[in-house]
Amino acid sequence: SAKERGKRRCVRYAQDMDARAVENARLSAELRQAPARGELFLLYQPVVTLPDGELSGVEALVRWRHPERGLVSPAEFIPVAERTGMIVDIGTWVLGEACRQMAAWQREYGPQAPAKMSVNVSARQLLEPAFAQTVAGALREHGLRPSDLLLEITETAVFDGGLALETVKAVQALGVPIALDDFGTGHSSLGLLRTCPVDVLKVDKLFVDGVTGDTEQAAIATSLAHIAQALRLRAVAEGVETPDQAERLYQLGYRLAQGYHFAPPLSPDNIERILQTRTANPGPESWEPSALA
Ligand code: C2E
Ligand code: MG
Ligand code: MG
Ligand code: MG
């Protein structure tokens, strides 16, 4: 009967839910062990200057090499880590490892080293009152200057105000610059740029995708370039995949970009290959706010 069919469907549905809950629980139990087991590692995606495509900085992007599952993408495990609070420990590991790598590159390559190391920070980490101390500790341990680092946070993380905003201000007080990541996709409020003055806007791939056409995204990419210029912030165009996009973004005033067109996230070895072959190019200056035109 229809009633029995319905019941069977419910049972199947409940079994699926159970399976998913079990799977999630297993994933999070395994994730908890991952840092200690050395299963996490970082790739580094170049951030380049336009129009020359020279490496200016790098963004650290975490990866999980699971013994059976293979490579698990952050899109899968970062949400789990955020829900369970494990992101706090993972984030501390990421920060320490990124700082260690940056210091090693500075020692070995001097002015050829990347000018900035970007590290992603979750909203959940900003709720930790000790976060700024963690950052200060990592800088001290590895002998880095605050300006060697760039912390990427999302608009949504600070939009709720309160504790997260306090933490951001404490980090800024250390002299560490802040970027708003995926800018334009969150609960954007331009007022946020007043309550929480940041240093860099990372304009989301969504707007870069449409930048060569006569699209709303193109209009927004244009406006964001103007806003960045008016507020004397650096704008980084994310997810640049074609030479046409790079060219157009340059015309619009973008001087920093990131995306597969230039380089995907790379192993430290592959970053070093770039550092070894490139000629000295303007480092930290290229990240400072541009003089008002
Ligand atoms: P995100 O911070 O916005 O990083 C950019 C993402 O876009 C990266 O994905 C990068 O590989 C990808 N990407 C770069 N260029 C292109 C392109 O031209 N085309 C396309 N289609 N994609 C491009 P990934 O590494 O998978 O990271 C995804 C997200 O996971 C990051 O987005 C960030 O929100 C989060 N994440 C990664 N590492 C960390 C971390 O250490 N801590 C925290 N809290 N979040 C992280
Ligand atoms: Mg990012
Ligand atoms: Mg981003
Ligand atoms: Mg993103």
Side-chain angles (χ1 to χ4, degrees):
S1 71
K3 199 173 162 194
E4 273 169 358
R5 272 202 305 278
K7 209 187 261 170
R8 271 201 305 275
R9 258 204 304 277
C10 278
V11 170
R12 168 117 22 97
Y13 178 70
Q15 282 169 346
D16 285 352
M17 286 296 285
D18 279 353
R20 211 171 313 148
V22 168
E23 178 60 18
N24 274 340
R26 183 177 304 148
L27 195 72
S28 72
E30 290 167 344
L31 183 56
R32 197 176 297 281
Q33 319 262 29
R37 292 186 174 169
E39 292 169 4
L40 299 183
F41 64 101
L42 298 181
L43 294 181
Y44 300 90
Q45 186 176 34
V47 177
V48 305
T49 50
L50 294 177
D52 53 19
E54 282 283 325
L55 183 143
S56 177
V58 293
E59 176 177 4
L61 294 160
V62 70
R63 296 289 181 269
W64 180 15
R65 192 180 289 113
H66 188 282
E68 289 111 40
R69 296 168 206 260
L71 218 56
V72 187
S73 97
E76 248 179 280
F77 72 86
I78 293 287
V80 175
E82 283 172 341
R83 269 201 307 279
T84 56
M86 280 187 274
I87 191 66
V88 173
D89 286 346
I90 292 175
T92 300
W93 180 85
V94 168
L95 186 68
E97 174 59 13
C99 287
R100 186 201 61 73
Q101 180 64 82
M102 183 64 162
W105 282 335
Q106 287 182 347
R107 272 195 308 275
E108 189 154 358
Y109 296 95
Q112 240 72 275
K116 284 256 187 281
M117 171 64 76
S118 288
V119 175
N120 291 285
V121 175
S122 285
R124 179 67 183 70
Q125 292 172 267
L126 297 175
L127 296 179
E128 292 291 304
F131 181 73
Q133 279 165 260
T134 303
V135 174
L139 291 173
R140 202 178 326 109
E141 181 181 347
H142 298 284
L144 294 180
R145 291 161 302 196
S147 61
D148 294 335
L149 208 56
L150 179 67
L151 296 185
E152 300 193 3
I153 63 179
T154 61
E155 303 152 86
T156 322
V158 277
F159 191 70
D160 299 334
L163 222 52
L165 189 58
E166 291 303 304
T167 308
V168 171
K169 293 197 162 155
V171 170
Q172 286 180 313
L174 297 173
V176 175
I178 300 287
L180 284 179
D181 204 354
D182 306 339
F183 193 73
T185 61
H187 298 246
S188 280
S189 153
L190 295 176
L192 180 65
L193 296 175
R194 270 201 324 134
T195 40
C196 181
V198 298
D199 305 275
V200 176
L201 295 185
K202 298 198 75 174
V203 174
D204 196 77
K205 180 178 190 310
L206 178 66
F207 310 110
V208 171
D209 284 342
V211 81
T212 54
D214 181 17
T215 61
E216 261 173 47
Q217 292 105 293
I220 294 170
T222 307
S223 308
L224 292 179
H226 292 158
I227 288 167
Q229 238 150 39
L231 297 178
R232 309 187 64 191
L233 313 175
R234 300 320 311 258
V236 179
E238 292 195 278
V240 180
E241 294 182 342
T242 71
D244 287 355
Q245 288 171 347
E247 165 80 28
R248 184 74 187 121
L249 288 161
Y250 178 68
Q251 288 168 355
L252 293 179
Y254 288 86
R255 294 296 176 265
L256 292 167
Q258 196 175 351
Y260 297 165
H261 169 57
F262 302 104
L266 299 171
S267 67
D269 279 359
N270 282 325
I271 292 290
E272 282 163 31
R273 226 151 275 161
I274 297 174
L275 300 181
Q276 281 155 10
T277 56
R278 75 188 187 137
T279 53
N281 78 91
E285 310 86 89
S286 60
W287 284 86
E288 300 315 318
S290 49
L292 277 182

